[in-house]
Amino acid sequence: MMLRVEALTLSFGGVRALNEVGFEVAEGEFFGILGPNGAGKTSLFNCLSGLVAPTGSVTVEGTELLGRRPHEIAELGVARTFQNLGLFGSMSVTGNILVGAHRQISGGALSAALRWPRTFRSERQARERADELIDLLGLGAYRDATVDTLPYGIRKRVEIAKAVASGPKLLLLDEPVAGMNHEETDQFVEFVLELKARMGLTIVMIEHDVPMVMRISDRILALDFGEVIGVGTPEEIRHNERFISAYLGTPAGADAPAEPQLHGGNR
Amino acid sequence: MTNLIQLTVSGLSLGILYALVAIGFAVLLKATGHFNMFPGALVLLGAYLTYQFHVLWSLDFVLAVALAAILCAALGLAGERLLFSRLGGKGHRSIEHLSVLLVSLGLISLAQAAVVSVWGPLTHLIEDPWGLSMIRFGGVAIAVRDLWALGLSLILLAVFYLVIQHTRVGVGMRAVASDPEAARAQGVNPHVISATAWAMCSAASVLAGMMLATEMGGGLVPNLDQIAFSALPALILGGLSSLPGCIYGGLALGLVQTYAAGYAPESMGQGFASMLPWVVMILLLVVKPSGFAKTLETRKA
Amino acid sequence: MALTETAPRLRPVRTGQPPARRRDDSRLCRTRTQRILLAVAFVAIVAFPLSVESAFLISLTGTIGIFALAALGLNILSGYAGQISLAQSIFVGIGAFAGVALGGLAELPLLVWLPGTFVAGGLAAALVAPLTLRLKGVFQIVLSLALIFVGHYAFINLPALTGGNGGISATPSLSLGFIDFGELTVAGMRYSYEQGLFILIWLVLAASMIAVVNMHRTRFGRALVAVREAETAAEIAGINAARVKVQAFVLAGAFAGLAGGLLMAQLRYVQAEQFGINMGLELLIIVVVGGLGTTWGPVVGAAVISSIPVLATQYAEHIPFLQADFSQSGEIGIPVGQVGLLIYGLALVLVMVFEPRGLSHIFGAGGRSLLRLARRARTTSEPVLVPQPHAHLGGKA
């Protein structure tokens, strides 16, 4: 099992953001997470990447993640993107991707200072891989551009490139298509599936775009008020009573736009 | 016993002066959201202007101090309008939030150069009314200047308290400190707030500078601003922007320093007493860095 | 017509051909020009002191090199890692006194005592790093002030090593065995201690700059900048933020220590008083004025900030409004001793207000446009003239 989450509970000063959440993700799976605003989706990701300290258990291929620092979790092959982007504004697109590839490059301050050949070879290889990623994601025109100067859509792509540059086993995507139009979303789905196939990724994705999640995911977890209200195939979730009522009783997954349903849902 | 009482009084008087300087820093931090070292220059300039007005131009001492405070407030406000408030977001990415601090450090350098250029590098006497006179209660000799330092400082602090707690400006200042955006939305005029803050800062700094430059305090020297830096541990101890905190911090450090000067054995080495406040601050930061850092995070935002 | 004709000719010159192979940005020299300049720089380091006789100029440029080295260290911390410190001077002092102990008192050879100052500065920084890096902003700056006061107390109370308040003198060996920088002899010519030391200082500085450029352009340097810009995102990418910050702090201290060792060798006398808040402020101002986070910033900053007070003192009588000393009381003027403070303050304020990217940015932009002009002149020496379109437009107007 790639990812196993058991009895995950997270409280902020008496408020339970997550309550006894448990699920499993198999290797190679595309796993979607749905839920209205405030359902605890991003909190769940923060638990998985070590930014908060919940109780319970999270294992990746049998290794416990809880209690580890974020950079240690990254070392285990878990990468994530941020909803509001975690880019390094003054660096170039290539620079950002190379930061993402940090764990794949060898050498520290000393070996770099002394121009250790092995360090620079590893650096060169990382740059070649970064170039491949740049081409794959169609970022060629922005290779040396400073990230701060790029439009939002491009930055979202850089964010994903940065995450996969680490060569992860498990990729966590936090609302990757928020703010994109239909065409951009389709494009995104295409290249994420391509990345997944090429790199043998297991992907867990949070997204508000219900039809897109239903279309792309192998299985889906539905959350509401920090609790699991259903896990299953898109078909099963589509017919899950609690999921439907969480989305205001409208049949979820119908072709109605997702956003209005969500805003009507909770809070 | 008499020694202890004498040390306590002079410790408290040194401490209240530290508290005043620390409050000068804290008030600005509260009102403008930036850590500004310029009050250090006001301590220096205030003392020298007092010297200029009282000794060289033979004005009445009280008038001289008041004029110095007014001039310093004007200088601070001019700096705020012409320089500090225009620096927002400027600077290299790594020091954006510190541009005000760096510019104020530059201004302190300029002030020091100016002071030496105009008044020379030698120690002056500001001819304060107290001199070295002492009052004796039984066997205890207490410097008159220390009593005045305590008295005047307490009066000034009481005025500050009234301004902050019971005037519209004070309410606005507290609003700005807790949430600048919301305060602006509610019609608090930031210009009035910053003018008041600079006036308070100047009054506190000039009073402290004048008292530190008295004959009892060691005379008027061009590195008075660096003596003012010794108040920074009080600011940290007090939690950065709390005025009562500055007073407790200042008094505690004044006492620690004076007791150390009085009681520490020779073997502690030279300069032990004046270094001790910094060590106390470091120890405090070792014990509780997160609590303080948290206060700062909210200030920076 | 002229416009459409010149445009395609000029474009490749201005933007450069898109390289067939993507350029490797981690290389030290990206162009042939840079390689040539680097070689010229190394030749100049040796040729300059041997051809200049003025002891004043040699000692001034030596001092600039020393301050540039200390600022280079601070630039790692403040420019790349975004941590501010006023206490760099204390680590310079630790290096200087370590140099006195190792090179002066213990009379160890150059290859031991000079690296020793590097290690001493680094160790001292490692000692305080865990504390200072836990703090942020104002707390960090006030803590760095505290380090200055505590460091000064330590210096004056260790008279065996530092000479206490009075200072201590030392005559360290500058010999590598086959070559002695202290009494350099080239082709039968004897050169002075200062000339030899200049070469040593600038060779150390050049090597340090190359080391820092190498670090900056590879994994460690990117990690530093990433932590500065978005610490959480950097951690998620697998960077141990606490560790790289400590490394930056230790490197800053180590380069300061090295600078201290060289300063001790230059003055052959050091005093605790030197390593106070004024030097700390001077070093911070050097990196800010020179340009934070730039390769040349420390050198440019040191050349401007550290040389002006020295030059002012030297040429005081030729400069209006300067007073050589205080004997001429009553005369209005700036005492020479204050010119340093005046320049530091003025430079800091002006740079922060007008060009926060620093002088090296101004010089860099100036240099690049000169280079462009030169290239344009070269490529347009054939019939097609650049001014033509302008002439046409001017004619129409």
Side-chain angles (χ1 to χ4, degrees):
Chain A
M1 200 52 59
M2 175 58 73
L3 173 68
R4 172 174 288 148
V5 176
E6 282 167 307
L8 194 68
T9 301
L10 176 71
S11 316
F12 294 115
V15 182
R16 288 215 159 170
L18 293 171
N19 193 11
E20 299 282 322
V21 171
F23 62 92
E24 291 181 343
V25 179
E27 189 177 338
E29 217 176 352
F30 201 121
F31 192 83
I33 297 180
L34 281 173
N37 284 330
K41 303 185 299 296
T42 297
S43 292
L44 175 61
F45 267 21
N46 287 346
C47 293
L48 299 189
S49 45
L51 295 179
V52 289
T55 59
S57 162
V58 177
T59 55
V60 167
E61 292 187 325
T63 313
E64 180 64 50
L65 296 191
L66 297 191
R68 285 178 200 269
R69 307 254 307 278
H71 68 90
E72 294 168 329
I73 291 175
E75 284 293 326
L76 293 172
V78 180
R80 79 171 275 187
T81 66
F82 288 87
Q83 190 183 332
N84 45 2
L85 305 186
L87 295 173
F88 312 107
S90 75
M91 294 172 101
S92 67
V93 170
T94 310
N96 271 274
I97 293 174
L98 288 170
V99 171
H102 187 80
R103 77 181 188 106
Q104 296 207 320
I105 308 173
S106 69
L110 189 67
S111 62
L114 299 175
R115 284 203 89 72
W116 222 250
R118 218 176 63 113
T119 301
F120 276 77
R121 205 176 315 131
S122 136
E123 188 77 23
R124 210 162 36 243
Q125 284 160 359
R127 280 173 194 275
E128 279 162 19
R129 279 195 303 272
D131 277 340
E132 282 168 27
L133 260 179
I134 284 173
D135 288 342
L136 190 64
L137 295 186
L139 290 167
Y142 311 103
R143 193 183 312 273
D144 297 317
T146 308
V147 161
D148 266 349
T149 62
L150 297 176
Y152 185 68
I154 303 295
R155 277 190 281 160
K156 290 215 89 149
R157 263 194 259 176
V158 179
E159 174 83 357
I160 287 163
K162 190 194 76 181
V164 297
S166 64
K169 295 184 272 204
L170 177 63
L171 176 62
L172 311 174
L173 299 172
D174 193 349
E175 298 202 19
V177 303
M180 288 189 186
N181 61 27
H182 261 295
E183 198 181 322
E184 289 167 331
T185 302
D186 286 348
Q187 224 178 14
F188 164 81
V189 168
E190 203 173 295
F191 77 62
V192 160
L193 289 177
E194 160 109 31
L195 276 176
K196 183 172 175 295
R198 274 204 197 192
M199 306 180 72
L201 293 170
T202 305
I203 294 181
V204 179
M205 178 177 78
I206 295 175
E207 192 42 71
H208 272 326
D209 188 338
V210 178
M212 192 274 266
V213 177
M214 293 280 180
R215 181 156 53 104
I216 196 173
S217 304
D218 299 319
R219 285 192 312 136
I220 292 170
L221 170 79
L223 280 179
D224 196 19
F225 290 114
E227 297 200 23
V228 176
I229 55 174
V231 189
T233 62
E235 199 54 35
E236 285 164 4
I237 291 296
R238 206 189 303 269
H239 298 108
N240 181 312
E241 292 290 326
R242 293 176 70 189
F243 177 72
I244 294 169
S245 68
Y247 278 84
L248 249 190
T250 25
D255 273 340
E259 280 303 312
Q261 296 175 358
L262 281 165
H263 285 225
N266 264 291
R267 264 158 266 198
Chain B
M1 191 59 205
T2 51
N3 196 20
L4 178 67
I5 295 173
Q6 281 167 205
L7 286 177
T8 305
V9 173
S10 62
L12 288 174
S13 109
L14 178 64
I16 203 89
L17 298 182
Y18 281 168
L20 284 183
V21 178
I23 282 176
F25 290 113
V27 163
L28 287 185
L29 189 55
K30 251 172 133 68
T32 66
H34 292 288
F35 182 52
N36 192 326
M37 297 276 249
F38 197 58
L42 295 186
V43 169
L44 178 71
L45 292 172
Y48 272 95
L49 287 173
T50 305
Y51 169 75
Q52 176 75 33
F53 297 146
H54 180 56
V55 177
L56 301 182
W57 290 351
S58 311
L59 294 181
D60 181 63
F61 187 72
V62 176
L63 186 64
V65 176
L67 272 179
I70 291 168
L71 263 177
C72 283
L75 199 62
L77 196 58
E80 177 72 37
R81 294 283 152 80
L82 298 176
L83 269 179
F84 301 129
S85 64
R86 298 180 181 203
L87 289 171
K90 255 193 172 180
H92 187 269
R93 186 176 273 276
S94 59
I95 50 151
E96 270 169 353
H97 57 289
L98 295 171
S99 49
V100 168
L101 174 92
L102 285 168
V103 168
S104 67
L105 279 175
L107 291 178
I108 285 185
S109 293
L110 287 177
Q112 221 175 4
V115 160
V116 179
S117 302
V118 177
W119 290 288
L122 303 174
T123 306
H124 295 295
L125 291 178
I126 59 169
E127 296 178 12
D128 52 284
W130 312 295
L132 298 176
S133 57
M134 298 289 210
I135 291 185
R136 287 183 193 279
F137 300 97
V140 183
I142 288 170
V144 179
R145 171 263 193 185
D146 285 354
L147 294 178
W148 277 95
L150 277 166
L152 289 176
S153 304
L154 289 175
I155 292 171
L156 189 65
L157 291 174
V159 172
F160 284 3
Y161 177 81
L162 289 176
V163 168
I164 291 178
Q165 295 297 329
H166 297 290
T167 64
R168 267 196 62 190
V169 177
V171 173
M173 199 178 267
R174 278 180 290 152
V176 168
S178 62
D179 188 345
E181 295 300 315
R184 195 156 309 149
Q186 286 177 1
V188 174
N189 183 344
H191 288 302
V192 176
I193 301 295
S194 74
T196 314
W198 278 103
M200 290 170 70
C201 168
S202 164
S205 305
V206 172
L207 179 59
M210 179 273 285
M211 279 294 176
L212 287 168
T214 53
E215 198 173 356
M216 197 72 206
L220 185 55
V221 285
N223 66 343
L224 201 64
D225 53 341
Q226 292 185 15
I227 298 173
F229 286 163
S230 306
L232 287 172
L235 182 71
I236 299 287
L237 252 59
L240 269 196
S241 57
S242 138
L243 302 197
C246 288
I247 299 174
Y248 305 141
L251 290 177
L253 292 181
L255 285 174
V256 163
Q257 186 174 340
T258 316
Y259 287 150
Y263 291 123
E266 196 78 353
S267 60
M268 297 311 295
Q270 300 175 51
F272 176 70
S274 54
M275 185 220 37
L276 203 55
W278 296 99
V279 174
V280 172
M281 184 197 84
I282 292 177
L283 290 179
L284 222 97
L285 289 175
V286 171
V287 178
K288 207 191 160 198
S290 55
F292 292 140
K294 213 173 152 195
T295 335
L296 179 72
E297 284 303 319
T298 49
R299 285 294 333 144
K300 253 171 59 184
Chain C
M1 265 323 277
L3 262 175
T4 50
E5 259 177 32
T6 50
R9 261 173 191 279
L10 285 176
R11 184 179 286 154
V13 178
R14 273 211 202 103
T15 58
Q17 285 282 5
R21 263 206 59 170
R22 276 148 199 172
R23 62 169 209 246
D24 175 6
D25 287 324
S26 58
R27 282 178 311 166
L28 187 61
C29 298
R30 291 164 184 166
T31 61
R32 205 183 52 173
T33 326
Q34 285 180 340
R35 266 199 297 281
I36 296 169
L37 284 176
L38 186 68
V40 169
F42 271 102
V43 171
I45 286 174
V46 178
F48 173 79
L50 300 189
S51 55
V52 169
E53 302 233 320
S54 155
F56 170 73
L57 202 56
I58 294 289
S59 101
L60 172 65
T61 44
T63 305
I64 289 174
I66 290 168
F67 274 83
L69 187 58
L72 184 76
L74 186 58
N75 193 32
I76 298 173
L77 187 66
S78 299
Y80 300 141
Q83 317 274 323
I84 295 286
S85 168
L86 280 166
Q88 185 76 344
S89 58
I90 283 303
F91 301 107
V92 176
I94 286 167
F97 290 123
V100 169
L102 299 171
L105 303 175
E107 297 184 346
L108 294 169
L110 178 69
L111 272 180
V112 178
W113 74 256
L114 191 57
T117 62
F118 185 80
V119 173
L123 282 179
L127 213 63
V128 292
L131 174 58
T132 178
L133 295 175
R134 276 203 292 179
L135 306 173
K136 288 201 165 88
V138 180
F139 290 95
Q140 209 174 40
I141 289 158
V142 177
L143 180 76
S144 72
L145 272 173
L147 290 180
I148 292 183
F149 286 93
V150 174
H152 184 74
Y153 167 79
F155 287 159
I156 60 175
N157 287 293
L158 288 169
L161 278 179
T162 65
N165 274 320
I168 193 165
S169 50
T171 46
S173 150
L174 294 189
S175 173
L176 279 176
F178 61 95
I179 179 169
D180 187 347
F181 292 104
E183 20 190 74
L184 208 57
T185 312
V186 181
M189 284 275 284
R190 268 290 309 272
Y191 293 96
S192 71
Y193 180 86
E194 283 72 22
Q195 285 169 311
L197 184 64
F198 175 99
I199 298 178
L200 180 64
I201 290 170
W202 280 84
L203 283 180
V204 169
L205 175 63
S208 304
M209 282 179 71
I210 289 173
V212 171
V213 168
N214 283 338
M215 282 190 255
H216 179 49
R217 289 186 184 165
T218 53
R219 182 173 179 264
F220 172 67
R222 279 193 306 269
L224 274 184
V225 177
V227 168
R228 174 187 90 201
E229 308 237 317
E231 187 161 335
T232 305
E235 290 248 335
I236 294 284
I239 293 168
N240 185 344
R243 203 179 129 186
V244 295
K245 282 197 277 186
V246 168
Q247 285 177 319
F249 200 78
V250 169
L251 279 169
F255 282 116
L258 198 56
L262 291 169
L263 186 67
M264 183 274 297
Q266 189 193 36
L267 303 173
R268 285 177 277 187
Y269 166 78
V270 284
Q271 197 187 2
E273 204 62 45
Q274 287 174 281
F275 309 107
I277 186 168
N278 284 345
M279 187 194 274
L281 195 57
E282 180 178 347
L283 288 169
L284 183 61
I285 291 174
I286 286 174
V287 290
V288 173
V289 168
L292 278 166
T294 60
T295 308
W296 286 96
V299 181
V300 172
V304 173
I305 295 293
S306 299
S307 71
I308 289 180
V310 181
L311 290 172
T313 312
Q314 180 78 4
Y315 300 108
E317 64 256 45
H318 306 298
I319 304 171
F321 304 115
L322 270 194
Q323 267 182 344
D325 58 66
F326 289 102
S327 52
Q328 315 142 285
S329 58
E331 206 174 298
I332 297 286
I334 301 158
V336 159
Q338 299 304 308
V339 171
L341 277 179
L342 193 73
I343 297 298
Y344 303 162
L346 216 56
L348 187 56
V349 173
L350 291 178
V351 164
M352 288 302 297
V353 172
F354 293 110
E355 183 47 276
R357 285 171 297 187
L359 290 181
S360 65
H361 176 80
I362 299 176
F363 293 164
R368 271 191 296 279
S369 52
L370 271 182
L371 210 64
R372 234 184 346 258
L373 274 180
R375 280 193 193 149
R376 199 175 298 175
R378 203 169 58 200
T379 49
T380 52
S381 53
E382 36 191 304
V384 185
L385 290 172
V386 183
Q388 257 183 6
H390 298 288
H392 273 259
L393 290 173
K396 270 181 214 159

